[in-house]
Each structure stands twice: as C-alpha cells, then as structure tokens.
Amino acid sequence: MLLDAWRLAVGTLTAVRVRPPANVDRRTAGTAMVIAPLAALPLGAAVSVVALLGHWLHLSTLVTALLAVGAVVLGNRAFHLDGLSDTVDGLAASFDRERSLAVMKTGTSGPAGVAAVVLAMGLQAAGLAALFGRNHWWQAAILAGLVVCASRAALAMCCVRGVPPARPDGLGHTYTETVPVPVAALVWVIVAVVLAAAGGWAGLAWWRGAVAAVPALVVVGVVLRRAVQRFGGVTGDVFGATVELSLVALLVALS
C-alpha cells in the first residue's frame, strides 16, 4: 500500500515518470497526500540546483528566483497554478454554486485567475530572491527547496475529515476526508520543526521557520473554508490553489 501511495503521490504531483500504482483506494489516496512533501523532493532539489547554478554563474538573485519558479512549474506541469487560476475564477464568477463549479470546469483562465497566478508567481519569486541573497547562500538554496516541499503539506489539510467534496465524482470519491485530523496536524508540526531547523542552519533566527508555518496554515484554512462555503466542498482545483498559496505564505514569512 505504501509503495502504491508513493507512486500515486510522485506521479500526480510531479512530472517524474513512475510506474502506475497497482491499486488506488481511499486509504492509498490519503496516504499519498500525507507524504506529498516527500514526493515533492524532486521539485525541491530542482529549486536548490537552480539556486546554486545561479550563484556560480553570477546571475542576479531575482533572475535566479524566476528560473527557480519556472523549474517548479515545469516539474509539476503547472498543475497547481491551473488549480489556483480555476479556483479564483470560480470565486469571482458568481455567488451561485453550480455556476462557479461550471466556470472552474471549463479549464480556461479569466482575468481574475490570470491576476492571481501572476501575483502568486511574483511573490514566490520575490521570496526566493530574498533567500538567495543571504550570506549563507548555499544553505539558503537548500532551505528554499525544503520550503517548496513543505508547501505540499497543504494537501493533507484538503483531505482532512470534515472537509467534504464539492462534487460526488472526481477527487471527491477517492481523496477527500481520507486523512484524520491528528495526522494532518502531525504533518504540519513536522513541517514547522524541519523549517525551524533548516532556517537556523541557513542563518535565520531559529524560530522563523516554525513561525512561517503558521500563516501558511492559516491561508490554507481560509481557502478551504471559503471553498466549502461557496462550492459546497473542495475540488482538485482547490487542492492546487492551497499548494500555491501555502508556498507564497511560507516564502513571504521567511523573506
């Protein structure tokens, strides 16, 4: 089961080619979302490598940060950015639940969605540039990669019990309400501890990493509450939106 969960998480959240899982049930899906930060390690490694290359090639920190953001986008096929765009478009389209869900399902990006993506990517690049410009540059490069992985902890919150699906089909049947609340809480505690340790190692105050997890968790909670109020629950697009906004919150807090 754990191997199937690992393959599901890596195959869904990254562009890395893995063998399809032999069985995908609710237990496997829930486990896949719990280990999502580990499955995102290839994306984190890509960010760290780009940061190191940028330093050695004497690129500006902003250019390096934009390239790092691009590496993440390529590494997950813009999966989460698409979710952010569709979610914001759905929220902006109408107060009618069915109308909002229909807009989200079209797959096209409206003005609100485009603005959200541009703002999110801009804040991510600015946050990464702030990290890359620190004196402990190679430690900061590794910290940036860990932050990308940590942002995927948002997915455990999306699947926590008590957060219903917006539709009976799609992700609703397999993924939602598969993660117990204590397990989701443990995931975020681990994220806070790892970021605190990595942040201290990278020259930040030891508490900065732990504190950064708080606004990220709050942002995810706000998005989920809004999705339940407006859509009746979560969709795959909401999953992606929480990941992108969690990454924004973590990077802004650490910058």
Side-chain angles (χ1 to χ4, degrees):
M1 188 271 290
L2 186 58
L3 180 59
D4 281 340
W6 175 256
R7 289 172 175 169
L8 179 62
V10 174
T12 302
L13 304 177
T14 75
V16 177
R17 298 187 65 176
V18 294
R19 183 176 299 177
N23 177 57
V24 178
D25 53 19
R26 286 178 55 80
R27 186 179 179 186
T28 302
T31 303
M33 296 299 97
V34 168
I35 64 174
L38 294 177
L41 282 173
L43 302 180
V47 168
S48 298
V49 168
V50 169
L52 296 174
L53 289 175
H55 179 84
W56 289 328
L57 294 173
H58 303 289
L59 300 178
S60 75
T61 54
L62 182 56
V63 169
T64 303
L66 285 167
L67 290 174
V69 170
V72 175
V73 173
L74 288 175
N76 65 12
R77 302 179 294 267
F79 183 59
H80 303 310
L81 283 176
D82 178 68
L84 174 62
S85 176
D86 288 345
T87 298
V88 173
D89 279 336
L91 290 172
S94 171
F95 284 104
D96 179 74
R97 172 182 177 273
E98 295 303 325
R99 170 63 178 161
S100 294
L101 289 174
V103 168
M104 294 169 67
K105 203 168 185 178
T106 62
T108 58
S109 294
V114 171
V117 168
V118 170
L119 182 59
M121 294 182 71
L123 287 172
Q124 289 171 11
L128 287 172
L131 288 181
F132 296 163
R134 298 189 61 81
N135 292 331
H136 299 70
W137 60 271
W138 69 270
Q139 293 99 324
I142 295 175
L143 172 61
L146 290 174
V147 171
V148 170
C149 296
S151 66
R152 274 55 185 171
L155 296 171
M157 289 295 296
C158 293
C159 298
V160 78
R161 289 173 186 169
V163 179
R167 304 186 186 97
D169 57 351
L171 289 177
H173 176 70
T174 307
Y175 287 87
T176 53
E177 301 193 274
T178 56
V179 178
V181 173
V183 173
L186 178 61
V187 169
W188 278 91
V189 169
I190 293 173
V191 163
V193 170
V194 170
L195 290 181
W201 176 64
L204 298 173
W206 68 267
W207 49 266
R208 286 281 297 277
V211 170
V214 176
L217 185 57
V218 170
V219 167
V220 172
V222 169
V223 173
L224 292 179
R225 181 176 181 181
R226 190 62 173 161
V228 172
Q229 290 175 338
R230 289 291 305 279
F231 312 141
V234 295
T235 67
D237 289 327
V238 175
F239 281 39
T242 61
V243 168
E244 292 294 341
L245 295 177
S246 173
L247 180 56
V248 168
L250 287 170
L251 289 172
V252 167
L254 289 173
S255 68

